[in-house]
Amino acid sequence: AGIVFAADRNFSTAIQARDANGIITAISNHDISFEKNLIMVAGPDGRLLADTQQQTSQGQPFPFPHLIDAARRSGRASAVVIINGQPYHLVVIPVSAPTPIAWVAKGYRLDDSLARDTEELASLQLSFLTEADENNWTVSGSTLPPAARDSLPTRIADILRAQVKDAPILLASEDYQTRAVTLNSVGDSRVIAVWQRSLEYTLDPFMQLQKTLLDLAIASVFASLFGGIVVSRRLAQPITRLARTARVTRSGDYSQKADITQQDEIGEIAAGFNHLRDAVSAREQKILRLAYQDTLTSLPNRALFHDRLDLALKAAERDQKPMSVLTMGIDRFRQINDTLGHPVGDRVLLAVGERLLLLLRKSDTVARLGGDEFAVILPKGDVEHACEVAGKILSAHDTPITIDGHTLDVRFSIGIASYPEHGTDPYHLLRNADIAMYVAKRGKRGYSVFEPDATQPHQDYLTLLGDLKRAVEQDELVLYYQPKVDLKSGTTTQAEALVRWVHPQRGLVPPLQFIPFAEQTGYIRTMTRWIIRRAIRQCEIWQAQGINITISVNICASDLLDPGLIEMIATELKQRGVDARWLSMEITENGVMEDPAKSLETLRQLDQLGIELAIDDYGTGYSSLSYVKKLPVSELKIDQSFVRDMTTDADDAMIVKSTIDLGHNMGLRVIAEGVEDLAIWALLRQMGCDGAQGYCMSKPLPAEQFEQWLRANPVFGDPTIPPARLASHSASGSASPASSPQRKGDRRRTRG
């Protein structure tokens, strides 16, 4: 603007002439709004040349010299000032040509017009207030309504306080959010601008939004109610049917199916429920099958048999009629498993079960109790009828069973017990049938009816077996020793240890009465350990007396599977100071074949200890020569069943001779068991057998008597007599003093 005025020749001329009217005229040519605004022109000396508000002020000093100083430094200056009690925004600019020839000051009054213009730009209410003296405020311009405008001067103090707390101010019953800005403060006078926004106006969009949200919420509630009614009507009926089906299924009835065909979530739930029902039903059937049905033969198992036996007994008691129970076991079934394998044994059990079902009535119950043991319930039948059924079963099994080309002769031992004669409850009836079955098995009768007199021996047998543990713990067992004599020299180099039980009440108990049970229950391991410890101790005693005899101990199949056997033997030998070569172990062929791999490993460990090993009862087992040659044995013992009659049976003699030659060809020493007279002794010498054991030399003796026998027989017989003369001498009746028949019980070792 200063440049424009400097270029105006009329303005420059009026300045030089100090013509106030000319100056104002020149200004009017450039500013059409000068009439409503304040314009003052000062000369370079700072005195007024013209003033649009006061025509008489010419020549007086410019009232705001500090603004001219600021404009001289910065090129322009502005400030809010009070002129004649009214606030103005005064702007001072120089008029240069090229040095300042005048200062033009233009003032804009802070009135309603300026406030409205500002409101349009900021969208805020604006008020200008001037403080003429302390706490005396006047409104020079405002956009507020008249009532709020009139109350504004009285609320200035509240406005300045509320600004700190950001609290609304009440003006004419309306709340305003307020901000006050001081525009000028000179002495006691102040000019402030107050910016305001009505809270009602500010919150109006939010109130509109709130109203909209409320309308939407109400609409959603009505829509939900309507939808709920529609959905409930659609879901209630199928869910009710589904719940009814679920209650029936929960009671255990799986016959009802959820009949819902709609293709939605309810239909999917119904389909899932039906699938679950079928799965639970199938699983329950499987559980019942496993719980009450034998998995191999599909016959009732022991649990279902007992349930049916209980029902049959109640029916017989109610009708006052007899009923019978048959228990049966397959003879020599273990030999089938050992020889042909368990798969063949399982197929035999299947064939037996099928035959029994064909032989009996549908009202009878055929069950497999376990292993090779079957049982039959005859709900209507006395002892005579039960015997007819047993005979029918035995006759049917006269026909062999053929499996994989193997023709198997399957025989049964059947026990019979009848209600009420032999028992009135399931336990006693089944137990008595078992007792009768074992009587039939021992007597090879085929079948046997329970006899009360057979109970006492059975109970005595169980009582005796119960004392076996105490017998080991209290040293009621004792070892007897039977010599093994060298056939060439007649000297005794070994003795076999045979176990006996001296019962405190019953006296000497035969091995047949306790050894089989010990093998079946696994207690044989404890007995074997006792025997080995006692044999090693006896070696120690004899060696201290100068008697150097190798003691042979029999071990069975379960002993070979004992993981602690080797360590126990090694520890005992070390503690007793006995060399391992004075201990020998005898194992049967069948014992090795129980678990060939594990048994072979145990035998190798025994051999590494230095213990001699022998195959006992050779010829009665099922092992092949190809397997026997793998065993680390040094001795072969021919079973007494071949030796005893070899002088009168050419076949036995040939078997013995072949076995001796076979053993020698394999590098083994051959010992013959069951040598009962000098004729057998002579024949064995002639065949080249290495040693003999039997009653011809001595029966098994306690340790002290065995020592006496050794002293009396340092050399048995006369080795210089040719075998032919010895046999002739025996035939003429001059037998050995020890040639009494060998009893079967004395041949039982740790296996019986």
Side-chain angles (χ1 to χ4, degrees):
I3 296 174
V4 173
F5 286 136
D8 189 346
R9 180 179 296 274
N10 293 329
F11 182 77
S12 300
T13 302
I15 290 295
Q16 292 175 0
R18 294 182 177 270
D19 181 3
N21 292 328
I23 292 171
I24 293 173
T25 300
I27 290 173
S28 65
N29 293 331
H30 295 281
D31 189 354
I32 61 175
S33 62
F34 79 100
E35 291 182 354
K36 61 178 180 179
N37 295 317
L38 169 68
I39 296 179
M40 292 185 292
V41 179
D45 56 357
R47 292 185 178 274
L48 289 173
L49 297 178
D51 185 349
T52 60
Q53 296 294 329
Q54 296 181 5
Q55 300 294 331
T56 60
S57 61
Q58 185 176 7
Q60 295 182 6
F62 185 71
F64 307 105
H66 66 281
L67 292 178
I68 293 178
D69 294 338
R72 185 178 286 112
R73 292 190 302 269
S74 303
R76 67 176 293 166
S78 66
V80 175
V81 298
I82 298 175
I83 301 174
N84 298 327
Q86 296 296 324
Y88 285 87
H89 180 215
L90 190 64
V91 179
V92 178
I93 57 175
V95 179
S96 301
T99 59
I101 60 174
W103 301 95
V104 178
K106 187 174 182 179
Y108 302 91
R109 187 176 179 178
L110 304 183
D111 55 6
D112 292 346
S113 177
L114 181 60
R116 285 192 296 271
D117 293 341
T118 307
E119 179 190 17
E120 293 177 0
L121 296 174
S123 299
L124 293 173
Q125 302 284 353
L126 178 61
S127 300
F128 299 109
L129 288 90
T130 303
E131 185 181 27
D133 51 40
E134 187 176 3
N135 295 327
N136 184 13
W137 294 87
T138 59
V139 178
S140 61
S142 178
T143 60
L144 291 173
R149 177 177 181 148
D150 293 341
S151 63
L152 184 60
T154 62
R155 303 301 306 277
I156 289 298
D158 295 335
I159 289 173
L160 297 177
R161 271 196 312 272
Q163 183 170 268
V164 178
K165 299 181 180 179
D166 199 20
I169 295 298
L170 181 65
L171 298 175
S173 71
E174 187 173 354
D175 287 327
Y176 288 88
Q177 199 74 24
T178 305
R179 287 287 183 276
V181 179
T182 300
L183 301 179
N184 185 25
S185 178
V186 179
D188 294 334
S189 299
R190 281 189 295 174
V191 179
I192 64 174
V194 179
W195 300 90
Q196 294 168 310
R197 181 186 289 273
S198 172
L199 285 181
E200 182 179 355
Y201 176 79
T202 303
L203 296 177
D204 184 64
F206 297 99
M207 298 300 293
Q208 292 296 329
L209 178 61
Q210 185 178 26
K211 182 177 180 302
T212 302
L213 292 176
L214 179 61
D215 294 341
L216 289 175
I218 294 173
S220 298
V221 169
F222 282 105
S224 299
L225 290 175
F226 178 77
I229 294 172
V230 173
V231 172
S232 63
R233 289 180 178 178
R234 186 176 181 182
L235 296 181
Q237 186 175 2
I239 288 179
T240 301
R241 296 203 308 269
L242 187 60
R244 188 184 306 113
T245 305
R247 285 193 296 270
V248 173
T249 303
R250 184 177 59 187
S251 66
D253 183 2
Y254 301 103
S255 60
Q256 291 194 18
K257 185 178 181 180
D259 187 16
I260 299 175
T261 58
Q262 58 194 66
Q263 301 297 321
D264 56 8
E265 290 79 0
I266 299 299
E268 292 181 4
I269 293 174
F273 177 82
N274 289 332
H275 179 74
L276 178 63
R277 177 190 64 89
D278 295 339
V280 171
S281 177
R283 192 174 295 112
E284 186 169 307
Q285 292 297 323
K286 183 177 181 180
I287 291 173
L288 290 174
R289 198 162 53 248
L290 293 174
Y292 295 107
Q293 193 177 79
D294 178 56
T295 56
L296 176 63
T297 63
S298 298
L299 295 174
N301 61 8
R302 184 180 292 272
L304 183 56
F305 179 82
H306 277 279
D307 289 345
R308 292 189 179 179
L309 179 58
D310 184 60
L311 293 175
L313 282 172
K314 290 178 180 178
E317 182 180 4
R318 182 183 63 248
D319 299 338
Q320 295 296 309
K321 292 183 179 180
M323 59 84 58
S324 299
V325 173
L326 281 68
T327 59
M328 58 192 76
I330 302 176
D331 297 336
R332 301 183 304 278
F333 182 72
R334 183 175 180 180
Q335 294 181 7
I336 296 175
N337 275 335
D338 292 343
T339 306
L340 302 177
H342 289 280
V344 174
D346 290 344
R347 293 175 64 182
V348 169
L349 295 175
L350 280 170
V352 168
E354 292 171 358
R355 283 190 177 183
L356 291 176
L357 287 174
L358 294 174
L359 291 172
L360 300 172
R361 299 172 299 187
K362 291 184 178 181
S363 59
D364 302 332
T365 296
V366 181
R368 181 187 175 210
L369 303 185
D372 64 333
E373 188 175 357
F374 292 81
V376 176
I377 299 175
L378 303 176
K380 296 180 181 180
D382 53 12
V383 174
E384 183 177 355
H385 174 66
C387 291
E388 292 177 1
V389 173
K392 188 177 179 181
I393 293 172
L394 294 174
S395 298
H397 285 87
D398 287 340
T399 302
I401 296 175
T402 302
I403 297 176
D404 292 339
H406 300 286
T407 301
L408 304 176
D409 186 13
V410 178
R411 297 292 180 179
F412 276 105
S413 293
I414 304 175
I416 301 172
S418 183
Y419 167 87
E421 183 178 354
H422 303 137
T424 57
D425 61 85
Y427 170 76
H428 288 93
L429 199 63
L430 192 59
R431 186 199 66 173
N432 292 338
D434 282 339
I435 293 174
M437 180 185 69
Y438 287 118
V439 170
K441 190 178 290 288
R442 287 195 298 268
K444 298 182 179 180
R445 304 181 187 177
Y447 71 86
S448 175
V449 179
F450 173 74
E451 297 178 2
D453 294 340
T455 305
Q456 187 61 40
H458 185 73
Q459 292 177 345
D460 293 343
Y461 178 66
L462 294 177
T463 302
L464 193 65
L465 295 177
D467 295 339
L468 182 58
K469 183 177 180 181
R470 184 205 65 209
V472 175
E473 294 173 350
Q474 298 184 6
D475 276 344
E476 293 178 7
L477 301 180
V478 64
L479 289 186
Y480 279 41
Y481 300 91
Q482 188 174 32
K484 297 180 183 179
V485 179
D486 187 278
L487 285 170
K488 296 178 181 179
S489 63
T491 59
T492 301
T493 57
Q494 295 184 10
E496 182 176 0
L498 303 168
V499 67
R500 298 292 184 267
W501 182 6
V502 182
H503 195 279
Q505 285 82 33
R506 302 173 184 271
L508 188 64
V509 180
L512 278 174
Q513 294 188 10
F514 66 90
I515 292 297
F517 176 79
E519 289 182 333
Q520 294 171 7
T521 59
Y523 198 67
I524 191 67
R525 291 187 179 183
T526 303
M527 290 183 58
T528 300
R529 289 184 175 221
W530 182 92
I531 293 169
I532 292 174
R533 289 191 179 98
R534 187 55 57 93
I536 294 174
R537 178 182 174 187
Q538 190 62 55
C539 282
E540 179 187 20
I541 295 172
W542 280 346
Q543 288 180 8
Q545 298 175 4
I547 302 175
N548 295 319
I549 293 290
T550 299
I551 298 180
S552 298
V553 176
N554 291 271
I555 55 177
C556 64
S558 62
D559 296 325
L560 292 176
L561 304 179
D562 184 355
L565 179 67
I566 304 300
E567 183 179 356
M568 184 275 295
I569 295 175
T571 301
E572 194 70 21
L573 288 171
K574 183 177 180 181
Q575 290 179 351
R576 294 290 179 182
V578 176
D579 192 277
R581 63 192 178 92
W582 300 111
L583 185 65
S584 176
M585 298 289 177
E586 297 183 8
I587 179 68
T588 62
E589 296 172 88
N590 289 344
V592 175
M593 297 305 293
E594 288 281 342
D595 188 341
K598 179 63 178 176
S599 299
L600 182 58
E601 178 61 25
T602 302
L603 293 176
R604 286 174 177 170
Q605 293 179 15
L606 290 171
D607 182 59
Q608 291 172 1
L609 283 178
I611 297 174
E612 288 193 352
L613 302 174
I615 296 179
D616 194 14
D617 298 339
Y618 184 77
T620 61
Y622 301 95
S623 61
S624 64
L625 292 177
S626 62
Y627 189 79
V628 171
K629 71 179 183 180
K630 298 179 182 179
L631 302 178
V633 297
S634 58
E635 186 176 285
L636 195 67
K637 297 186 70 176
I638 305 175
D639 187 68
Q640 60 177 326
S641 61
F642 302 112
V643 175
R644 185 184 301 116
D645 299 324
M646 61 181 293
T647 56
T648 58
D649 190 324
D651 291 337
D652 284 349
M654 182 176 62
I655 291 174
V656 171
K657 173 61 176 171
S658 299
T659 304
I660 293 172
D661 294 340
L662 174 64
H664 287 165
N665 290 334
M666 296 176 66
L668 304 178
R669 186 173 61 255
V670 181
I671 306 295
E673 299 179 312
V675 179
E676 297 185 356
D677 54 43
L678 291 177
I680 298 175
W681 170 280
L683 186 55
L684 288 171
R685 281 184 62 191
Q686 183 177 350
M687 291 179 176
C689 188
D690 300 297
Q693 178 182 349
Y695 270 43
C696 177
M697 288 72 74
S698 173
K699 66 180 181 180
L701 300 170
E704 294 182 357
Q705 295 182 23
F706 182 80
E707 295 169 11
Q708 296 174 5
W709 183 89
L710 280 177
R711 296 188 184 96
N713 299 275
V715 177
F716 182 82
D718 189 349
T720 62
I721 301 177
R725 288 183 55 193
L726 188 61
S728 175
H729 179 70
S730 174
S732 66
S734 189
S736 169
S739 63
S740 59
Q742 182 172 352
R743 292 171 294 177
K744 184 177 180 180
D746 286 333
R747 292 301 307 133
R748 303 303 296 179
R749 300 171 178 82
T750 57
R751 300 178 309 283

